[in-house]
Every structure is written in structure tokens, then in C-alpha cells.
Amino acid sequence: MFHFGIYSVWILFVAVFNVALCNYSEDQCSWRGSGLSQQPGSVEQISLHCSEGTLDWLYPQGALRLSLSPRLPSAAVGPGGGGGSSGLITACVKPSGDFHGAQLYLERDGVLELLLGDRGADPAAPPMVRCFSRLPGERLALYLQATPHQDISRRIAAFRYELRGDWTARLSLDSNRVNSEDACRPCNNTEILMAVCTSDFVVQGNIRSVEADQSLRAAVIKVSATRVFRQKYALFTGPGRLIRRGDIRTLQQCGVRPGSGSFLFTGRVHFGEAWLGCAPRYKDFLQAYLVAKEARQIPCELAVD
């Protein structure tokens, strides 16, 4: 049984993953506050209504109750092209580099699982992204527990969050739960054509090199983009239209290696970084696209001419 106290306070961060269709403003995406303004044992009620945002909690003490009601597409589609009819919502949290003064737990069916530890205990450890999903009807909660400290100065528990509908294992960053067989398998033609329509970026280009990102246990694909069909953010930049470069991350266990030839890279933006979805060779994509277009079975048009 957990007790509230001056130096050991449970901060309740209840994540209500219901897909809301109401409008929201950008100032409802993030929260910043201080535990010094709260009475010991009090619980401050907070509600955010975005699919991504930040929480910055200075001098953790007292308690927060944060409800998330993100406005997500009614038919959210993951990078592999799966439909959103399953009602699956995936959430990811990324702690700041100096996350300190609290521990974050996921509570699922009454069982607590540590997601983020107090980095003050091991400041050399890289901040890890943790992801988890809620199935329809499942009840989840996040608990942010202030760790006991006589001196709470210079302690900030801060993290970014993202919630998406039907993210598949292709984009899962929780390496302890990744199904590598599903995450690394090549996309079929149907998935490729859907990814072209729904991805945050669609780029034709070549692989310059592949490097390791040990902090995320990911492979970083260095891409020279010859054509940028679409990008949600400025992921691929350069001095001219024909000279653009950018990085795309994927799971390290997929074993991506540098190779010759032109590819079509698609995927999602995750905490400001590009993550790979489908990546067929461009000639294979073009053949599948033209066949589907002739049969009037393409989900969207792409200016391939």
C-alpha cells in the first residue's frame, strides 16, 4: 500500500487514451509548473488534449493528476499501412537528459512496471524512450513518484510524450518488447502504397552510410535525397533542391547495411526524428504503383513522372 508523505509523494499521472474529436489549442499540449506551489499531499488536476507535448515539473513534490485526451484521426494508420479499426493507441515518453527527482511507472491491471528511473541515481545512463499500448477496454495509468530528497533544488522531472493510433512494431522504440520479425520484415505492395499516402515523409534517395545510435539502440541511415515528395518537418535539407541530406533511424536488429541503388524511404517523425516505415527499391515501388494506378487501385496519387 502506498502512502503520501513529505519526502515520498506519489504523483498520479493518469493517461486516459480515448480518441477525442473535439478541437484543441496549442496551449493545451504542454504543462510546466513547480511542486513548491502545492500543499504537501495535494493533487493538482491537469488535462491536456494533444497527441504530443511536454511536461516540465520543477522541484517535484505534492501531486499531479494529468489526463490526456488527444485528438487523433478516427482512422489512424501506422507506418506499415495497417488500418485504425482496432482502436489501439500507442504512447511513448522520452525523458529529458537531466530527468531528476522522480520515477515513472506504468500501472496495468493493478501491476506496476518501472518505465523511467530517477536519472540522478545514474546520470551517465542515456535517457531511453519507452513505449506502451492500450487495447480497447484496457485501463492504464502512469504514476510519477517523487524520490526522497532532503534538498529538492535543481531537480526537474521533464519528459515529452506522443500518442498515436495504430503505431505498429516498426516504430516501437521499447527494445525490450519489440517483435523484431514483424518490425524488420519487408512491406508488401499494399503496405507500400498505403505508406506513400500516410507517412510523415516520402523521399527517394540513396544510402550513404549506416551508423549506430547506442543511446536508442538504433541504426542511423545516412540518406542523400534525390527527390523529396513530402516531409512533415525539415528532415532533409541542403543547399539546393537536388542536394539534400538527412538521417532515418530504424531498429538495430534489422541489420540495415549500405547498398547501391535508389530507394523510396517512408516513415514517421518520432520526437523530431525520422523513423523508417517501408523502404522498397524505387524501381520495385514504381512498378507496383503503375500497376495499381492502371487498375485504379491506388489510395492516393504521387507525382512520379
Side-chain angles (χ1 to χ4, degrees), residues 209-225:
S209 63
V210 179
E211 302 176 0
D213 184 336
Q214 297 300 338
S215 65
L216 290 177
R217 285 175 274 184
V220 182
I221 307 169
K222 302 287 185 178
V223 173
S224 292

Side-chain angles (χ1 to χ4, degrees), residues 3 10 42 62 65 77 79-80 86 88 91 103 127 145 151 153 166 171 176 187 200 207-208 217 226 236 273 287 299:
H3 301 276
W10 280 99
S42 66
R65 183 180 187 276
V77 179
S86 69
L88 178 72
Q103 292 180 310
Q145 181 188 23
D151 177 14
S153 64
D166 264 11
L171 201 61
N176 295 324
C187 295
D200 292 334
I207 300 176
R208 293 186 289 114
R217 285 175 274 184
T226 56
F236 300 88
E273 298 170 335
Q287 180 181 6

Side-chain angles (χ1 to χ4, degrees), residues 109-122:
D109 295 329
V111 179
L112 292 179
E113 174 190 345
L114 180 66
L115 292 179
L116 304 174
D118 188 340
R119 298 195 66 244
D122 187 9

Side-chain angles (χ1 to χ4, degrees), residues 4-42:
F4 287 90
I6 296 178
Y7 301 119
S8 179
V9 182
W10 280 99
I11 295 82
L12 180 60
F13 173 105
V14 178
V16 182
F17 299 125
N18 52 334
V19 179
L21 298 179
C22 57
N23 295 325
Y24 63 92
S25 58
E26 290 183 358
D27 60 358
Q28 293 180 307
C29 299
S30 300
W31 181 87
R32 180 180 176 87
S34 170
L36 298 179
S37 63
Q38 298 175 226
Q39 295 294 325
S42 66

Side-chain angles (χ1 to χ4, degrees), residues 168-182:
T168 68
R170 291 181 189 278
L171 201 61
S172 176
L173 302 184
D174 183 352
S175 56
N176 295 324
R177 297 291 183 89
V178 164
N179 182 333
S180 59
E181 181 178 350
D182 180 60

Side-chain angles (χ1 to χ4, degrees), residues 34-114:
S34 170
L36 298 179
S37 63
Q38 298 175 226
Q39 295 294 325
S42 66
V43 179
E44 183 173 349
Q45 304 290 328
I46 302 169
S47 181
L48 299 178
H49 303 283
C50 298
S51 60
E52 58 185 87
T54 60
L55 183 142
D56 294 87
W57 195 30
L58 286 66
Y59 318 121
Q61 65 174 0
L64 303 177
R65 183 180 187 276
L66 173 61
S67 297
L68 296 177
S69 301
R71 182 178 181 270
L72 299 175
S74 58
V77 179
S85 59
S86 69
L88 178 72
I89 299 297
T90 298
C92 292
V93 292
K94 181 178 183 179
S96 63
D98 57 354
F99 184 93
H100 198 9
Q103 292 180 310
L104 181 65
Y105 293 84
L106 169 68
E107 187 274 323
R108 189 192 301 269
D109 295 329
V111 179
L112 292 179
E113 174 190 345
L114 180 66

Side-chain angles (χ1 to χ4, degrees), residues 152-281:
I152 63 172
S153 64
R154 297 186 299 277
R155 289 182 169 82
I156 301 176
F159 58 84
R160 298 168 65 182
Y161 70 87
E162 289 186 350
L163 298 96
R164 299 285 181 94
D166 264 11
W167 258 345
T168 68
R170 291 181 189 278
L171 201 61
S172 176
L173 302 184
D174 183 352
S175 56
N176 295 324
R177 297 291 183 89
V178 164
N179 182 333
S180 59
E181 181 178 350
D182 180 60
C184 301
R185 69 169 177 81
C187 295
N188 60 39
N189 286 346
T190 301
E191 291 171 330
I192 291 170
L193 295 175
M194 186 61 70
V196 166
C197 304
T198 61
S199 293
D200 292 334
F201 61 90
V202 181
V203 174
Q204 180 185 359
N206 307 305
I207 300 176
R208 293 186 289 114
S209 63
V210 179
E211 302 176 0
D213 184 336
Q214 297 300 338
S215 65
L216 290 177
R217 285 175 274 184
V220 182
I221 307 169
K222 302 287 185 178
V223 173
S224 292
T226 56
R227 191 172 186 181
V228 177
F229 292 99
R230 182 174 69 253
Q231 57 178 338
K232 188 175 181 179
Y233 304 101
L235 302 169
F236 300 88
T237 59
R241 186 175 63 86
L242 300 178
I243 306 176
R244 302 190 193 182
R245 292 186 173 183
D247 296 344
I248 304 176
R249 286 164 171 77
T250 190
L251 301 178
Q252 206 167 44
Q253 56 263 46
C254 293
V256 176
R257 297 288 184 270
S260 60
S262 180
F263 295 83
L264 186 75
F265 299 99
T266 69
R268 295 290 192 187
V269 176
H270 191 50
F271 292 119
E273 298 170 335
W275 282 82
L276 189 64
C278 298
R281 289 191 177 273

